[in-house]
Amino acid sequence: MRILVVEDEFKTADYLRKGLSESGYLVEVALNGLDGQHLIRESEFDLIILDVMLPGIDGWQLLQIVRRKAQTPVLFLTARDAVEDRVKGLELGADDYLVKPFSYAELLARVRTLLRRGPPREVEHFRVADLELDLLRRRVTRQGERLTLTNKEFALLHLLLSREGEVLSRAQIASQVWQMNFDSDTNVVDVAIRRLRAKVDDPYQPKLIHTVRGMGYLLEVPE
Ligand code: CA
């Protein structure tokens, strides 16, 4: 498992390199944004740990570069416990964050979770409550009734089902369903969700597609 650490504070970078190496990971360290950008473009990693405050190219810009290329999990490190930072990071497609200072045990737990999660499962048949999606036959039913979805609605529902219980940001949805990057008009996501809900949720109980304010959407059976 290869991990890239982009962190300009030498002490923190060194601490992460030593710890993660001892935990059995192959670690590459970039001490500035430019080196980070170079490594992201030239190599493949299983996980990227990204400090937000970097001279030159900052963590947000690097995150956008990562997302243009791949779905590599990204854990970002933020010095401030600012809600805007967390929302921004997740909107830009990061998978998780840690607020500095953090303990190594805490970091390792996040790293393990992100690596275990891996790429979305290749499943052909999904069922959540009485909603079913058959990928091969391109068929969606709820309470046994056949629903007619457009191609994009089908792709959107497939994405939500394959990541059941996970909050997906508008940016993540836009990039996976429309292949648009984060700075495009993500209003298209809200419109598509509304249309999908009208077919999948409005006539039925329980509601399965949920809005998470300031974060995005998730599909799950409510408790
Ligand atoms: Ca920094």
Side-chain angles (χ1 to χ4, degrees):
M1 289 286 191
R2 297 189 70 206
I3 299 180
L4 172 64
V5 174
V6 189
E7 166 64 85
D8 62 316
E9 289 161 76
F10 183 77
K11 270 176 73 178
T12 311
D14 201 44
Y15 168 75
L16 292 178
R17 186 213 313 263
K18 282 184 182 141
L20 291 168
S21 300
E22 278 168 24
S23 302
Y25 300 105
L26 291 171
V27 186
E28 291 238 28
V29 172
L31 290 169
N32 60 62
L34 260 180
D35 289 352
Q37 181 187 45
H38 180 74
L39 283 166
I40 288 163
R41 289 197 167 139
E42 300 302 314
S43 314
E44 299 286 333
F45 295 95
D46 299 294
L47 174 74
I48 299 171
I49 299 174
L50 212 51
D51 182 32
V52 170
M53 301 293 280
L54 295 166
I57 302 176
D58 70 15
W60 302 138
Q61 289 168 287
L62 286 177
L63 181 53
Q64 292 161 26
I65 292 165
V66 175
R67 280 292 163 266
R68 266 179 234 139
K69 188 183 159 192
Q71 291 302 314
T72 313
V74 173
L75 171 70
F76 70 94
L77 308 176
T78 165
R80 292 167 297 162
D81 188 13
V83 177
E84 312 86 77
D85 260 19
R86 283 183 264 160
V87 170
K88 183 173 180 185
L90 297 170
E91 278 285 333
L92 290 176
D95 299 272
D96 204 353
Y97 65 90
L98 268 180
V99 177
K100 290 178 175 183
F102 51 84
S103 72
Y104 180 70
E106 205 179 351
L107 175 93
L108 187 61
R110 303 293 176 96
V111 164
R112 286 189 169 142
T113 304
L114 288 171
L115 287 172
R116 205 179 312 127
R117 194 187 289 168
R121 301 166 296 156
E122 272 304 319
V123 179
E124 288 155 3
H125 192 268
F126 298 85
R127 174 199 279 267
V128 173
D130 53 9
L131 172 68
E132 293 186 63
L133 180 145
D134 185 328
L135 195 56
L136 295 183
R137 293 195 290 168
R138 300 195 66 79
R139 218 163 125 100
V140 176
T141 59
R142 184 139 193 206
Q143 285 178 11
E145 292 167 33
R146 180 88 181 258
L147 307 179
T148 308
L149 303 187
T150 64
N151 284 340
K152 288 297 178 201
E153 287 163 356
F154 187 90
L156 176 57
L157 183 61
H158 177 217
L159 174 66
L160 291 167
L161 281 165
S162 64
R163 306 281 290 269
E164 182 193 345
E166 279 179 48
V167 179
L168 296 170
S169 69
R170 288 173 178 78
Q172 281 173 301
I173 294 172
S175 79
Q176 296 203 26
V177 176
W178 284 269
Q179 283 78 47
M180 297 189 317
N181 63 31
F182 71 97
D183 52 7
S184 306
D185 179 13
T186 48
N187 183 40
V188 70
V189 174
D190 300 314
V191 173
I193 289 274
R194 205 177 309 136
R195 295 210 175 113
L196 184 63
R197 272 179 168 150
K199 294 178 180 178
V200 167
D201 262 351
D202 289 355
Y204 306 99
Q205 287 294 346
K207 306 303 177 203
L208 300 174
I209 301 168
H210 309 278
T211 307
V212 183
R213 274 191 69 187
M215 305 274 282
Y217 296 100
L218 92 161
L219 185 147
E220 68 177 6
V221 181
E223 284 172 16

